[in-house]
Amino acid sequence: MGRYRFAVASRALAAIGGGYALACATAAGVGLALARSCSSRVDAVMWATMLAFLAHAIAALWAFGSASAWRAWLGIALPAALLGALTLGLRGAGA
């Protein structure tokens, strides 16, 4: 019974905390990428924010739909890390 509760708590933490991290990385990375393209800054921020909400919702679905808690964490942390690296790369390139 304790192992099951740990798995559910881990998935909930992945959905909430990992989803939030993924949403932040999505908003920052996509916002910077769109701002560098031909779109205006306002449009870039609006699109990035809408995609961040979508990313958080998909992360929550992924956390509880994956086969194990490890896959849930990996499926959320890996894209968040890649988008975070993209954000740092775009931010450093503009300075």
Side-chain angles (χ1 to χ4, degrees), residues 4-82:
Y4 173 76
R5 289 184 182 186
F6 175 74
V8 172
S10 179
R11 288 173 188 257
L13 188 61
I16 296 167
Y20 180 76
L22 179 62
C24 289
T26 301
V30 172
L32 284 173
L34 287 176
R36 290 191 181 273
S37 69
C38 59
S39 64
S40 69
R41 286 186 179 186
V42 174
D43 290 338
V45 170
M46 291 299 293
W47 275 105
T49 304
M50 287 189 282
L51 287 175
F53 283 121
L54 183 64
H56 197 177
I58 290 172
L61 290 172
W62 175 263
F64 288 100
S66 60
S68 68
W70 285 107
R71 285 188 184 177
W73 276 105
L74 186 65
I76 294 172
L78 187 63
L82 291 174

